[in-house]
Amino acid sequence: MTRLLATGVAAALATAVGVSTLTLPAQAATGAADGFASQNGGTTGGAGGRTVRATTGTQIHEALCGRAGSDTPIVIEVSGTITHGNTAKVSGSSCNTAAGVIELKQVSNVTLVGVGSGAVFDQVGIHIREARNIIVQNVTVKNVKKSGSPTSNGGDAIGMESGVSNVWVDHVTLEASGGESEGYDGLFDMKGDTRYVTLSYSILRNSGRGGLVGSGDSDLGNGPVTYHHNLYENLDSRVPLLRGATAHIYNNHYVGIKESGINARAGGKAKVDNNYFEDSKDVLGTFYTDLPGYWQVAGNVFDNVSWSSKGGDTNPAGPNVTSTTTVSVPYSYRLDGASCVPALVRATAGANTGNQVSNGSCTPQTPAPTTAPTSAPTTGPTAGPTSSPQPSTPPPTAPPLGRNLSLGAGADGSGKGGGTSYGNAIDGSLSTYWQPSGSTGRISVKWGSATTVARVVVREPAGSVGSIGAWRAVDNATGVVLATGNGAGTLTFRATSLTKLNVEILGSTGTPRVAEVETYAG
């Protein structure tokens, strides 16, 4: 693929969508989480909760602290510029905040979205810790420092750590003004058991480090994560640095990557589809370590990409880029052709682009709103719950199409603890559960006659979400492993006729609990 062709395609698409004159206003949260953020019960943020308007970091913290509980859903619409001077610590039973950083700590069910003329976090990072079901959309975070003055969030524009799950970051612009020597760190970092994350339609630029998954070669319990339709521009490395985790990386535009790009190491696996790599060096491989990573590649364009020679701790995938593993993903997605990616991403990625997305055919479109309040948003934070009680947990995501075959079936297992029942896992209620007698165990669904199953969904009860680690679905009669997963959620596999399906929990943190094992024919 020549640069001339790519430039021509870009120019044609830019003309079609009017990129040079596109001035769409920032808007309320739109669309729905996709990629790995759509798994493990899904990511809905504050959908269904109160909508609050904030113009300072302090007001963002007050909105979190003014909820009935730390899991009460809330949509915080942000406009204006958030700075150290207007971001103070706020205390309350439903929050755990700090000055000089937007602290989403020990909370769940939160949407943070830029509206109006835009939301800019100037030298103030967004720190997500011990949190679940978080959406960050349509904001700019810039020049967050770890050294010098002022400092915030360890130098990360958006940082996630310590038991974080189900985060969707969409249509954001993350940028710095240099590398580590200038006081900056990563733009989008995940570590310390951060799982089920999607970064989509975003811009990461002008920094030494794009982002990492895993803080060190022993921090291997992160991911999976999806990166799609993002622009990575003028970065040294880490786009991303992938330690041990699985990543799906598709339809991104990489331009001006100076040292190394997608760095899969320590067993990390990357599925790299239909990306456009331009004017860059060593855009895929294992670098700075002798602990190898792996990749599956298809449909990518390498436009003026240079490659180092292999040796020592340098193992570039090119110049003859071929797959070294296979990576399966449990969700559906549509690929745009790689040749249109530069223009498409320029038209759709980043804050203040109208939250536009691709229709799967290289054409931008605007998704429908997902958080439409029934009344005007409150100006400023609220002091407490609304007069009508809000749910303490978000509504469950819609099940796959078809009938849940587990309802009316039988159940057994390897053992049970805490007075639980096997039947609690197939009764259609998320308030009851089965738990094994230890950190591993088996719960099975069984039928009186052969039943065709192609999908199994494991759901955890409130208070135990994120406990289940590795697990698998097994045909009891044959012992065939149908699919494997990491973290509760959905597994799909070839339609199989069976009379008993085993869900085997192979690892967990804390006490694993299964509220429901749902089975479907398709």
Side-chain angles (χ1 to χ4, degrees), residues 31 44 95 137 295 429:
T44 56
C95 64
Q137 189 177 58
W295 43 86
S429 171

Side-chain angles (χ1 to χ4, degrees), residues 52-67 74 76 78 82-84 86-105 107 112 121 124-127 152 380-382:
V52 174
R53 185 67 56 86
T55 59
T56 69
T58 303
Q59 289 181 344
I60 294 173
H61 287 162
E62 287 174 344
L64 294 169
C65 296
R67 297 180 297 163
I74 190 169
I76 305 174
V78 184
I82 309 302
T83 66
H84 277 257
N86 65 31
T87 304
K89 174 182 174 64
V90 177
S91 298
S93 60
S94 60
C95 64
N96 189 343
T97 71
V101 61
I102 300 303
E103 191 75 89
L104 304 181
K105 181 178 180 180
V107 298
L112 192 68
F121 295 78
V124 174
I126 298 173
H127 186 209
S152 178
T382 58

Side-chain angles (χ1 to χ4, degrees), residues 226-243:
T226 300
Y227 304 84
H228 72 89
H229 293 92
N230 303 300
L231 170 63
Y232 296 87
E233 184 176 30
N234 190 29
L235 302 167
D236 290 343
S237 62
R238 299 188 180 185
V239 292
L241 169 57
L242 184 67
R243 289 178 167 117

Side-chain angles (χ1 to χ4, degrees), residues 85-228:
N86 65 31
T87 304
K89 174 182 174 64
V90 177
S91 298
S93 60
S94 60
C95 64
N96 189 343
T97 71
V101 61
I102 300 303
E103 191 75 89
L104 304 181
K105 181 178 180 180
Q106 298 169 347
V107 298
S108 58
N109 311 326
V110 176
T111 293
L112 192 68
V113 56
V115 298
S117 60
V120 177
F121 295 78
D122 187 3
Q123 302 181 79
V124 174
I126 298 173
H127 186 209
I128 304 172
R129 181 171 183 169
E130 299 174 65
R132 187 183 191 279
N133 193 25
I134 307 294
I135 294 175
V136 179
Q137 189 177 58
N138 200 40
V139 303
T140 295
V141 187
K142 65 180 185 178
N143 293 334
V144 180
K145 287 190 172 184
K146 68 175 182 179
S147 62
S149 180
T151 61
S152 178
N153 197 30
D156 297 337
I158 296 179
M160 293 157 276
E161 62 179 309
S162 301
V164 172
S165 70
N166 290 86
V167 177
W168 180 35
V169 178
D170 177 66
H171 283 92
V172 303
T173 298
L174 309 178
E175 57 189 10
S177 297
E180 188 175 20
S181 61
E182 288 77 29
Y184 306 100
D185 197 10
L187 296 177
F188 192 73
D189 279 8
M190 289 166 273
K191 55 189 178 182
D193 191 29
T194 295
R195 302 189 295 161
Y196 296 100
V197 175
T198 295
L199 175 67
S200 56
Y201 294 97
S202 295
I203 296 173
L204 290 79
R205 65 187 174 200
N206 300 341
S207 178
R209 297 169 173 175
L212 57 76
V213 185
S215 60
D217 288 337
S218 61
D219 182 18
L220 306 180
N222 303 283
V225 56
T226 300
Y227 304 84
H228 72 89

